[in-house]
């Protein structure tokens, strides 16, 4: 049937319907027959067309696809890969853009009757503000990686003290005071001689970290410049000291921290003493606080990016490719630590297993469990986790964690425990990574460092500690958003080589802070010390 014939037949059908419309009650039989015949012919024609295309549908599809320009394909592939990468690396630049780069509010979890909140945390502006990460570091993985490789730590000299732990081991205590990071012409006459009466902050580094780690140097410099006496308690075998006993540290080992606290307290019995733990060091610190309970010798503490449950975190860092990257990186760090003390590990552990280890668990199975007398890695993780000791903590404790932490999972956070224990405040942020928390367009500021300093400052001026009557009056610089602004010291001091030969240990002079009598400063001066620091926050 040709198209011309079809048009003629359709015209005749239309003409007939005009003459004999369908609304008429009766129509001639010829009209009905003509209409039915046309419909049958149209149906047959359509079926013939469909059958002719059914033989090569893919040819039609490929022909259509070949007409699309190649540039459109490249743009589509780039968009798909960008979305996948955005999701894989957990970018949040779009959310930041939608929020007008205002950041997200800090979420506080605490007991409603907490005196710690009402007298201390309620006065901390940073904990009641927002955290906005550096726009070009809008990913927890970028934050964490930038900290490790491009953290731009300040340069200064520590003063070292070697402490005998009593079991044949030694730890290095690296001290830093305000006089060590500021030139004398920038300080008042009373500040140069007041270090012995200044409150002390003990810093506990994370896994395989020491006083030279980037985030530790940011923390120690900032707090020393603000007026604190800061001491980094390096783990056994780290900080350039050898392993001198048949034991090395692990995630649940608290005896070294206890010895350090007792040592400093014996030297300065009336000076406020605080502890800041980071990452695995925070787990050790929280466990120590719970173990000692009412007998604790410190006045307050802060835990930053604490893992809480080591078994959960072990499962977490093995879930996907990105997390396994951190697992391998941490495992490589442990292997480097073991190689520094190869004689020790060859004698007391499975050295072949350590050399083959690629993950933290594999190292712990061959090394940590052998030396620490744990039957399995799971038993080590369960017994060393601090989550079971949270309920026994009797001193003020601030806990800071990021919900996007790529190492310490948010699934282990102690939400309910903080609602029960009145001595604990949990501050969580949407972003920040693991110990990153860079903010500002130039990424010179580390938010958690300032938050810890503010918390301890307000805590020191509150009624919750008993030793504030021994505080000196100190002239302090105002808090700075950038850790390196106005720092003329950068080319003034040099990094100290902290490698120590075991044979020279008896000849090394010990540097420690000597306690002075309470008659040095009056009670009024003591109160002014913390009041001035508190007012500086505003």
């Amino acid at each position: 049937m040709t198209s011309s014939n079809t048009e003629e037949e359709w015209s005749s059908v239309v003409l007939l319907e005009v003459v004999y419309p369908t609304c008429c009650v009766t129509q001639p039989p010829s009209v009905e027959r003509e209409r039915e015949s046309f419909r049958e012919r149209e149906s047959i024609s359509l079926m013939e067309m469909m059958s002719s295309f059914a033989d090569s549908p893919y040819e039609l599809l490929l022909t259509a696809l070949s007409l699309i320009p190649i540039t459109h394909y490249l743009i589509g592939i780039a968009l798909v890969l960008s979305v996948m990468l955005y999701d894989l690396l957990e970018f949040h630049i779009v959310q930041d853009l939608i929020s007008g780069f205002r950041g997200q509010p800090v979420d506080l979890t605490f007991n409603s009757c907490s005196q710690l909140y009402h007298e201390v945390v309620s006065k901390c502006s940073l904990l009641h503000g927002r955290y906005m990460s550096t726009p070009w570091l809008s990913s927890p993985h970028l934050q964490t990686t930038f900290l490790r490789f491009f953290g731009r730590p300040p340069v200064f000299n520590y003063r070292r003290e070697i402490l005998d732990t009593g079991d044949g081991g030694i730890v290095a205590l690296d001290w830093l005071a305000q006089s060590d990071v500021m030139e004398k012409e920038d300080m008042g006459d009373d500040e140069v001689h007041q270090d012995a009466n200044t409150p002390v902050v003990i810093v506990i580094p994370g896994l395989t970290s020491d006083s030279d780690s980037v985030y530790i140097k940011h923390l120690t410099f900032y707090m020393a410049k603000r007026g604190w006496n800061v001491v980094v308690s390096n783990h056994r075998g780290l900080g350039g000291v050898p392993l001198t006993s048949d034991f090395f540290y692990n995630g649940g080992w608290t005896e070294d921290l206890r010895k350090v606290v007792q040592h400093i307290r014996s030297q300065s019995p009336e000076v406020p003493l605080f502890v800041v733990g980071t990452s695995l060091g925070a787990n050790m610190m929280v466990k120590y606080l719970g173990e000692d309970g009412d007998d604790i010798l410190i006045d307050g503490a802060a835990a930053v990016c604490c893992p809480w449950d080591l078994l959960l975190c072990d499962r977490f860092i093995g879930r996907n490719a990105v997390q396994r990257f951190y697992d391998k990186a941490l495992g490589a760090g442990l292997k480097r630590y073991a190689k520094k003390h190869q004689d020790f590990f060859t004698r007391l552990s499975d050295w072949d297993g350590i050399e083959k280890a690629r993950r933290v668990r594999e190292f712990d199975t061959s090394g940590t469990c052998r030396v620490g007398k744990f039957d399995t890695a799971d038993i080590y993780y369960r017994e060393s986790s601090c989550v079971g000791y949270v309920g026994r903590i009797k001193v003020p404790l601030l806990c800071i964690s990021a919900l996007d932490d790529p190492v310490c999972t948010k699934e282990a956070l102690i939400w309910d425990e903080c609602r029960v224990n009145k001595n604990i405040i949990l501050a969580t942020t949407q972003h920040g990574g693991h110990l990153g928390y860079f903010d500002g367009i130039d990424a010179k500021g580390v938010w958690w460092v300032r938050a810890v300093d503010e918390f301890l400052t307000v805590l020191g001026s509150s009624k919750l500690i008993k030793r504030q009557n021994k505080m000196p009056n100190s002239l302090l610089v105002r808090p700075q958003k950038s850790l390196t602004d106005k720092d003329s010291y950068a080319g003034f001091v040099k990094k100290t080589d902290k490698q120590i030969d075991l044979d020279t240990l008896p000849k090394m002079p010990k540097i420690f802070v000597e306690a002075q009598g309470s008659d040095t400063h009056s009670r009024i001066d003591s109160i002014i010390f913390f009041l001035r620091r508190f007012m500086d926050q505003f």
Side-chain angles (χ1 to χ4, degrees):
M1 180 173 55
T2 64
S3 60
S4 58
N5 292 336
T6 302
E7 291 177 358
E8 292 176 357
E9 292 174 356
W10 176 250
S11 300
S12 62
V13 171
V14 172
L15 180 61
L16 288 171
E17 288 194 354
V18 171
V19 177
Y20 301 101
T22 57
C23 61
C24 297
V25 177
T26 58
Q27 292 183 359
S30 59
V31 175
E32 291 294 334
R33 287 194 299 270
E34 188 70 24
R35 182 183 295 112
E36 292 296 332
S37 175
F38 174 77
R39 288 173 180 171
E40 290 177 0
R41 288 193 293 271
E42 283 292 308
S43 176
I44 293 172
S45 175
L46 181 61
M47 292 178 65
E48 290 176 351
M49 292 174 62
M50 293 178 63
S51 63
S52 64
F53 292 143
D55 295 337
S56 56
Y58 294 106
E59 292 182 5
L60 291 175
L61 179 61
L62 291 175
T63 302
L65 293 176
S66 64
L67 299 177
I68 300 176
I70 187 65
T71 55
H72 292 191
Y73 285 108
L74 296 177
I75 292 174
I77 292 173
L79 289 175
V80 171
L81 292 178
S82 298
V83 172
M84 293 176 61
L85 185 64
Y86 187 94
D87 182 67
L88 180 66
L89 297 182
E90 302 176 67
F91 281 96
H92 48 82
I93 186 66
V94 174
Q95 296 91 318
D96 294 340
L97 182 62
I98 294 174
S99 66
F101 293 100
R102 296 174 60 243
Q104 291 75 35
V106 180
D107 185 26
L108 299 177
T109 304
F110 55 91
N111 188 296
S112 59
C113 300
S114 172
Q115 187 180 7
L116 175 61
Y117 174 79
H118 294 293
E119 293 195 12
V120 178
V121 177
S122 62
K123 302 174 183 178
C124 296
S125 59
L126 287 174
L127 296 178
H128 283 85
R130 292 171 171 265
Y131 168 68
M132 173 62 203
S133 62
T134 299
W136 45 276
L137 293 176
S138 59
S139 163
H141 307 292
L142 291 182
Q143 287 269 352
T144 306
T145 305
F146 186 83
L147 173 70
R148 173 64 179 84
F149 297 103
F150 312 101
R152 296 174 293 187
V155 182
F156 51 81
N157 284 329
Y158 288 107
R159 293 177 290 123
R160 168 149 292 188
E161 175 185 0
I162 301 299
L163 177 66
D164 189 341
T165 59
D167 61 352
I170 58 173
V171 294
L173 303 180
D174 288 330
W175 290 86
L176 194 68
Q178 189 180 35
S179 58
D180 298 322
V181 297
M182 295 182 67
E183 298 185 35
K184 292 185 178 180
E185 53 266 26
D186 296 331
M187 302 175 59
D189 293 336
D190 58 334
E191 291 179 300
V192 179
H193 305 288
Q194 59 84 33
D195 287 349
N197 297 299
T198 304
V200 177
V201 176
I202 303 173
V203 178
I204 312 299
L207 182 68
T208 70
S209 296
D210 59 16
S211 56
D212 270 344
S213 298
V214 174
Y215 66 95
I216 296 295
K217 300 192 80 171
H218 275 305
L219 173 64
T220 55
F221 167 75
Y222 185 87
M223 299 201 71
K225 192 168 185 180
R226 289 275 292 137
W228 300 91
N229 262 344
V230 188
V231 54
V232 182
S233 177
N234 294 286
H235 302 300
R236 295 193 187 196
L238 289 171
V241 300
L243 285 172
T244 58
S245 65
D246 289 345
F247 189 81
F248 77 104
Y249 77 100
N250 60 57
W253 181 250
T254 59
E255 284 303 314
D256 288 350
L257 175 56
R258 188 172 288 106
K259 292 286 186 181
V260 171
V261 171
Q262 291 172 353
H263 167 68
I264 296 176
R265 179 57 73 207
S266 66
Q267 300 294 330
S268 304
E270 299 299 332
V271 170
L273 181 60
F274 304 96
V275 181
V276 178
T278 57
S279 193
L280 188 68
N283 183 84
M284 301 162 68
M285 181 200 70
V286 173
K287 186 170 179 284
Y288 157 71
L289 298 180
E291 288 175 345
D292 283 23
D294 291 321
D295 299 326
I296 201 74
L297 296 178
I298 69 170
D299 299 291
V304 184
C305 295
C306 181
W308 302 109
D309 190 320
L310 300 182
L311 186 58
L312 269 179
C313 289
D314 171 69
R315 301 286 192 268
F316 176 69
I317 59 176
R319 285 183 182 174
N320 55 49
V322 177
Q323 262 63 48
R324 286 193 290 271
F325 167 80
Y326 293 102
D327 194 6
K328 292 180 180 179
L330 293 172
L334 287 170
K335 289 179 66 174
R336 288 193 296 270
Y337 171 79
K339 289 181 179 179
K340 290 181 181 178
H341 311 285
Q342 184 170 349
D343 293 340
F344 171 90
F345 283 95
T346 302
R347 181 167 53 89
L348 298 175
S349 65
D350 178 10
W351 179 251
D352 291 336
I354 290 177
E355 284 190 315
K356 297 177 182 178
R358 295 293 181 269
R359 301 184 54 217
V360 175
R361 167 179 280 271
E362 293 171 355
F363 178 90
D364 287 336
T365 299
S366 301
T368 307
C369 292
R370 293 288 188 94
V371 178
K373 309 302 181 185
F374 297 100
D375 292 335
T376 65
D378 281 2
I379 292 176
Y380 158 56
Y381 295 146
R382 288 192 180 98
E383 293 184 1
S384 300
S385 297
C386 67
V387 65
Y389 297 84
V390 173
R392 308 180 212 170
I393 294 175
K394 302 298 182 182
V395 295
L397 172 64
L398 171 67
C399 308
I400 297 177
S401 292
L403 298 183
D404 64 356
D405 191 320
V407 177
C408 301
T409 173
K410 63 182 179 182
E411 298 170 11
L413 288 176
I414 51 172
W415 308 99
D416 292 337
E417 291 85 344
C418 290
R419 295 186 179 98
V420 175
N421 193 327
K422 299 179 182 179
N423 298 309
I424 304 177
I425 303 292
L426 175 62
T428 55
T429 59
Q430 292 293 322
H431 309 298
H434 187 69
L435 296 172
Y437 279 101
F438 287 99
D439 58 2
I441 193 64
D442 53 2
K444 289 184 178 180
V446 179
W447 179 87
W448 70 263
V449 170
R450 303 195 308 275
V452 167
D453 171 76
E454 181 185 45
F455 169 76
L456 296 182
T457 295
V458 181
L459 176 62
S461 63
S462 71
K463 300 178 181 179
L464 297 183
I465 68 170
K466 303 175 181 179
R467 297 179 177 87
Q468 58 177 314
N469 60 329
K470 299 298 180 183
M471 295 299 95
N473 179 19
S474 177
L475 180 63
L476 300 173
V477 297
R478 292 184 62 81
Q480 302 171 15
K481 187 175 182 62
S482 168
L483 298 184
T484 57
D485 285 350
K486 302 179 182 179
D487 293 339
S488 57
Y489 73 93
F492 178 71
V493 293
K494 297 180 180 179
K495 177 180 176 181
T496 302
D497 184 5
K498 299 188 303 178
Q499 294 296 326
I500 296 177
D501 190 337
L502 182 60
D503 296 332
T504 66
L505 285 179
K507 302 177 183 179
M508 291 183 62
K510 291 189 176 182
I511 304 172
F512 55 88
V513 178
E514 297 180 352
Q516 296 187 8
S518 59
D519 56 346
T520 305
H521 296 278
S522 66
R523 179 182 177 87
I524 296 178
D525 288 341
S526 303
I527 296 176
I528 291 177
F529 174 83
F530 273 116
L531 286 179
R532 294 183 66 175
R533 300 198 61 176
F534 172 66
M535 292 303 296
D536 280 344
Q537 305 299 326
F538 306 97

